[in-house]
Amino acid sequence: MTTMQGTPKRPRRAPTPEERKQCPERSRRLLMEAARDVFSEKGFAGARVQDIADRAGLNKQLIAYYFGGKEGLYQELTREWLAREATFNDPSVPFEELIVRYLREAFDDPRAIRLAVWRGLTGEEAADERPEDLSDIRRRQAAGELADDLDPAAVLLMCYAVVSAPATMPHAVRQIFGIDPGSREFQERWEEQLRRIVRHLAA
C-alpha cells in the first residue's frame, strides 16, 4: 500500500521480543510520563496512543502490551496518584497544613490537576468514581478546626478550587497578581494567603 505521493506506507509492527525484554520498567515509566503530558494537554478523549508513544520514543504497541490500551494506561496513572496521595494525606496534621501539602503537589507537577479538569470539562467519569468521603472534614469540624455553620462539602469544593486555580487559570494569576504563576514569589505568596484563609474557617 502506498500513500498519495507514492511513498510506501510502513506497516504497523508489534514490539519484538527483544523490545519487550529491554528494561520493561523503564519503558513503562517512559510511557506513563508521556501519558501525563499528553492527557494533561488534550484530555483522555483527545489523546492519541500514537502521540503518547511518540512522546515516549517507543512503539505504540507497548501501550497495549503493558497496560491493555489507552484506558488501562489512564487508570494506571490514577492508581499511581492515589498511592502518591496516601504518602502525604495525613489525618493527624492540621487542616491548614494538609491543604498546603496538596498545593505544593500541584505546584510541583500541575499535570494531575489539569487532567482532572479535562475529565470534568468533557464529562468523562471514572469507572470506579464514588461519592467523596467527607468523614475527615466532619471530624475536623467537630474538633473545632472548622466553624459549625460551614458545609463540609462546600469546604472541600472550595479547597479543590484554591489548590487548582494556579494550574488551571495561569492567565488569571498573571492578570490579578501581576506575576508568573510558576514563580517562587507567587507560590510563596499564595501558600501564605491560603494558610490565612483556612485559619479563618476555624470556629
Side-chain angles (χ1 to χ4, degrees), residues 104-122:
R104 289 174 178 170
E105 287 289 322
F107 280 149
D108 288 344
D109 189 347
R111 291 176 296 179
I113 293 288
R114 291 172 181 155
L115 200 158
V117 170
W118 266 113
R119 193 174 77 185
L121 292 174
T122 56

Side-chain angles (χ1 to χ4, degrees), residues 148-181:
D148 293 339
D149 60 347
L150 292 177
D151 181 342
V155 170
L156 183 58
L157 184 59
M158 182 207 70
C159 291
Y160 282 168
V162 295
V163 166
S164 64
T168 58
M169 297 189 294
H171 62 291
V173 172
R174 287 188 289 270
Q175 290 172 339
I176 296 170
F177 287 82
I179 51 180
D180 187 85

Side-chain angles (χ1 to χ4, degrees), residues 11-178:
R12 297 177 180 176
R13 68 176 181 84
T16 65
E18 289 73 21
E19 286 178 311
R20 290 171 176 160
K21 290 177 182 177
Q22 289 175 359
C23 302
E25 187 56 34
R26 176 177 178 273
S27 296
R28 285 175 59 90
R29 298 307 307 175
L30 286 172
L31 288 169
M32 290 180 67
E33 189 67 14
R36 284 191 194 89
D37 287 339
V38 177
F39 284 139
S40 68
E41 293 167 5
K42 302 181 179 181
F44 177 81
R48 296 172 58 247
V49 169
Q50 187 65 61
D51 292 338
I52 296 171
D54 289 346
R55 189 76 62 97
L58 295 170
N59 186 330
K60 73 176 184 179
Q61 299 301 325
L62 288 173
I63 294 175
Y65 180 73
Y66 288 125
F67 305 101
K70 184 171 80 167
E71 184 174 349
L73 180 53
Y74 187 92
Q75 292 173 350
E76 184 64 23
L77 289 178
T78 300
R79 284 191 289 269
E80 187 176 74
W81 160 248
L82 292 174
R84 171 64 184 162
E85 183 182 31
T87 66
F88 66 84
N89 185 351
D90 185 351
S92 68
V93 302
F95 193 52
E96 168 192 335
E97 180 61 30
L98 181 62
I99 300 306
V100 166
R101 289 184 180 186
Y102 276 95
L103 179 65
R104 289 174 178 170
E105 287 289 322
F107 280 149
D108 288 344
D109 189 347
R111 291 176 296 179
I113 293 288
R114 291 172 181 155
L115 200 158
V117 170
W118 266 113
R119 193 174 77 185
L121 292 174
T122 56
E124 300 164 8
E125 293 187 4
D128 61 346
E129 192 165 322
R130 299 181 297 274
E132 188 68 46
D133 182 4
L134 300 174
S135 60
D136 183 60
I137 294 184
R138 292 193 177 100
R139 177 187 63 79
R140 293 176 182 277
Q141 190 172 42
E145 286 192 77
L146 297 169
D148 293 339
D149 60 347
L150 292 177
D151 181 342
V155 170
L156 183 58
L157 184 59
M158 182 207 70
C159 291
Y160 282 168
V162 295
V163 166
S164 64
T168 58
M169 297 189 294
H171 62 291
V173 172
R174 287 188 289 270
Q175 290 172 339
I176 296 170
F177 287 82

